Amino acid sequence: MNAFTPRTKSKVLVDGGDPEETVRVKHLVGYVDGQTTNPTLVSKNPEVRELVSSGQKFSSKEELDEYKKIVQTISSLVGDAGVSIEVYADFDTTAEEMLAQGREMFSWIPNAYIKYPCTHEGLRAAEMSVREGLRVNMTLCFSQEQAAAVYAATKGSKSPVYVSPFIGRLDDRGENGMDLVKNIKQMYAAGDGHVHVLAASVRHLKHLLGSFALKAELVTAPAKVWAEWAASSFPLPGSDFVYQGTDNDDKPLNPIAYKSLDLNRAWESFDIQHDLTTKGIQQFVADYKSTLKRPA
Ligand code: E4P
């Protein structure tokens, strides 16, 4: 336990698929509130990688068992922000199929959050999930409209719902991803507080501090970013902190404008299409399949 770590208002989550990283962050920071996983991160788990590189690929059932084993190891290492477990979803997966996976995954550990994509079927799955008491984390969020739809679809949830805006992936294409976090926080200020913002796709210390400054309820970051925070003596943004979104060449990123959206609208009425959500699903499917045996 690190006696010097300040408690941030944002919960600390490790973005990864390797329990050893979670243990390392716990030692460095002194505590870990939660964990986020996804198919890409699980495919990078050292044990999974070793098996795959030695030619031993998994059946779908073995892959699921491996995911379960990883998540069960992480579960007891983290606090009340839980472990986010992502369902398999391609463009043909129905909400009912996602829900069936979600129900099973929810039974794996006592602190599960089920990750569904911010798509029409993902939102339908979330709507059904919260009605039956599953905790959910809506992932691959790239627009304020998607966050508004998450709010509307999950109204009445007994537990906080998470929405995960992906900062780094917006930055990657020249848009200031931190503006999305800011805009969602501003929009939710008029709401009932049932959706918590989980800043995701955090790539470096500046993203971390920017998310803290915006009072994102939770921040998930890879172990190396938490190590960077620890190595810099756990800085926190002061009242004079100004976040400057810049690209790799230090050029300012393009701002994302705030939209005035009515959270009381039906969730289906929001335009939730976003090409980065589509791309994200394609990537997760490819990474998941890279660990699978080819059908005979
Ligand atoms: C968390 O839930 C996300 O899966 C993760 O932060 C994605 O980060 P990346 O854009 O670096 O892959």
Side-chain angles (χ1 to χ4, degrees):
M1 180 82 186
N2 189 326
F4 303 105
T5 315
R7 267 275 173 187
T8 64
K9 292 234 162 55
S10 308
K11 290 195 173 169
V12 166
L13 281 76
V14 178
D15 199 20
D18 177 6
E20 284 185 17
E21 284 180 355
T22 314
V23 172
R24 270 207 304 280
V25 175
K26 219 172 158 176
H27 284 141
L28 280 172
V29 174
Y31 63 93
V32 168
D33 294 307
Q35 175 102 14
T36 48
T37 65
N38 67 41
T40 304
L41 297 168
V42 170
S43 73
K44 288 183 181 157
N45 170 283
E47 201 178 302
V48 173
R49 260 163 105 146
E50 210 180 300
L51 286 169
V52 170
S53 61
S54 68
Q56 293 182 48
K57 293 202 172 181
F58 300 93
S59 66
S60 310
K61 158 97 177 60
E62 287 165 342
E63 165 81 27
L64 203 64
D65 286 346
E66 191 61 31
Y67 198 179
K68 182 175 175 179
K69 199 172 86 188
I70 293 168
V71 157
Q72 286 181 332
T73 312
I74 293 170
S75 169
S76 57
L77 298 170
V78 305
D80 64 358
V83 183
S84 292
I85 316 170
E86 188 150 349
V87 299
Y88 172 84
D90 59 27
F91 300 110
D92 297 324
T93 313
T94 64
E96 287 73 16
E97 287 164 342
M98 290 187 212
L99 175 62
Q101 294 179 66
R103 282 191 190 121
E104 191 196 333
M105 290 165 160
F106 199 73
S107 73
W108 288 354
I109 51 172
N111 52 352
Y113 275 77
I114 304 304
K115 272 172 112 176
Y116 298 116
C118 281
T119 57
H120 184 268
E121 290 306 284
L123 282 155
R124 222 158 59 73
E127 186 178 34
M128 294 188 280
S129 294
V130 299
R131 271 197 218 131
E132 54 182 83
L134 305 193
R135 290 176 293 269
V136 305
N137 173 357
M138 299 307 290
T139 192
L140 291 169
C141 175
F142 294 100
S143 74
Q144 216 189 304
E145 285 87 341
Q146 289 176 330
V150 168
Y151 179 95
T154 59
K155 230 172 162 183
S157 173
K158 287 195 184 71
S159 317
V161 165
Y162 299 163
V163 66
S164 298
F166 276 34
I167 302 166
R169 293 192 196 184
L170 283 163
D171 283 13
D172 287 346
R173 65 173 204 182
E175 294 176 54
N176 189 350
M178 198 60 73
D179 280 349
L180 176 61
V181 177
K182 187 171 78 187
N183 295 343
I184 296 173
K185 285 288 294 179
Q186 185 180 336
M187 173 173 72
Y188 283 174
D192 60 14
H194 83 276
V195 187
H196 290 185
V197 175
L198 194 170
S201 188
V202 164
R203 306 272 169 75
H204 44 65
L205 198 53
K206 230 166 76 173
H207 280 160
L208 208 59
L209 298 185
S211 305
F212 290 162
L214 289 173
K215 299 189 174 49
E217 283 85 353
L218 315 100
V219 182
T220 190
K224 70 170 175 53
V225 176
W226 293 118
E228 212 182 320
W229 189 48
S232 329
S233 308
F234 309 104
L236 291 178
S239 52
D240 55 347
F241 175 84
V242 180
Y243 177 82
Q244 274 165 344
T246 50
D247 66 14
N248 293 337
D249 301 322
D250 255 357
K251 286 216 206 83
L253 294 164
N254 293 321
I256 301 175
Y258 181 77
K259 293 182 182 158
S260 182
L261 298 174
D262 178 2
L263 291 172
N264 293 314
R265 272 166 51 188
W267 70 262
E268 294 94 336
S269 71
F270 292 103
D271 177 10
I272 56 163
Q273 202 285 328
H274 200 287
D275 57 326
L276 287 180
T277 305
T278 306
K279 224 172 126 189
I281 290 173
Q282 282 162 344
Q283 188 62 54
F284 285 155
V285 168
D287 288 332
Y288 170 77
K289 288 196 173 158
S290 72
T291 64
L292 291 187
K293 281 177 190 149
R294 286 217 182 99

